[in-house]
Amino acid sequence: MSSTPKLLSSSGSQHARRVRVLVHELELQIEVEEVPFGAQGFGGNEREAFLALNPNGKVPVLVHDNVVIWESNAIMAYLCEWSGSTPLWPDAPLERAQVAKWQFWQAAHLTPAADGLFAERFVKPRFTGETPDAAHEARLAAAFGRWMAVLEAQLTRSEYLALNRFTCADISVAGALMQHEPAQLPLDDFPGVSRW
């Protein structure tokens, strides 16, 4: 019998949040350990031990049976398969690909723009005292608008992102938008996304 998976998480991380939402949806019994923010990025006694698990220095990290998995969408795929068959992560390859494409899209396109705006508009002024870089912020806002138009088009056609039902695709993409208020993301400009 395998051990209980252990999730290293931080409540403020959208990446960890998507995994925790999945754990809730699957009703999994796993151990969750809150990782202090400093251990991830700004030093402290925990940093070396944490980097030994994830050299990227970021949450989430899943440890299970002496195997370490990082990257939120990879952890989600693993937990779905470990828990047994679930409509959130379908068994059929073509259906699974419809879910995974949105997760790859979220990681490659939406999250860099949304996280970048969060860093410029919230993290910089609040934690470093720096003024946002106006040119960089404008580039990020343009990218965010482009990717949100893709998301809006899909959610105008369908209630969910894939397979006309709630899946890991919805959890992953919604997680990327969780910091919309402090990042001042204009979700009201996208009624389909706002409804979803």
Side-chain angles (χ1 to χ4, degrees), residues 17-32:
R17 180 77 53 91
R18 70 175 51 92
V19 175
R20 291 177 79 157
V21 168
L22 177 71
V23 167
H24 172 78
E25 290 293 325
L26 293 174
E27 299 179 349
L28 297 178
Q29 299 301 312
I30 71 168
E31 181 184 348
V32 177

